[in-house]
Amino acid sequence: GILVEHHLGDFGRLQSVDYVGLREFRVVVDVDGTRERRLGWRFRLQGTTWRLASVELPPELVARIVSRLPPMDKLKIQNPLGR
């Protein structure tokens, strides 16, 4: 990967850009300079367009999101195919 140190104003610091083969790359940003608040975006080439393939969130943020989800017994998941 390519290690870069570029400040992005109030957003954070661009930490690295890693290429995964010829059709995919990952951008990593440190929000406040700590690994615990590191965000990542993975992009994949589809045809002639780069598309966002995934977002990597810090574990503390994932835990906060999961803690706000309703309990599984109260979740209603509808199958779009009607099955």
Side-chain angles (χ1 to χ4, degrees):
I2 298 171
L3 291 177
V4 292
E5 288 285 328
H6 184 73
H7 192 58
L8 301 174
D10 291 338
F11 185 71
R13 181 182 312 202
L14 180 61
Q15 186 64 35
S16 67
V17 177
D18 298 313
Y19 292 92
V20 184
L22 298 174
R23 300 176 52 93
E24 195 168 314
F25 71 95
R26 179 176 169 244
V27 176
V28 177
V29 173
D30 286 342
V31 175
D32 62 1
T34 63
R35 287 182 76 89
E36 293 80 26
R37 301 216 35 210
R38 185 172 282 178
L39 303 173
W41 295 272
R42 188 176 293 263
F43 294 88
R44 187 172 294 133
L45 185 62
Q46 291 182 347
T48 59
T49 305
W50 288 102
R51 306 237 183 220
L52 180 63
S54 67
V55 176
E56 300 166 13
L57 302 173
E60 94 181 15
L61 181 55
V62 171
R64 282 183 29 211
I65 292 169
V66 169
S67 73
R68 293 178 181 206
L69 291 174
M72 286 301 291
D73 61 341
K74 304 224 184 221
L75 253 172
K76 292 184 181 177
I77 299 174
Q78 295 180 351
N79 185 336
L81 301 176
R83 298 180 192 159

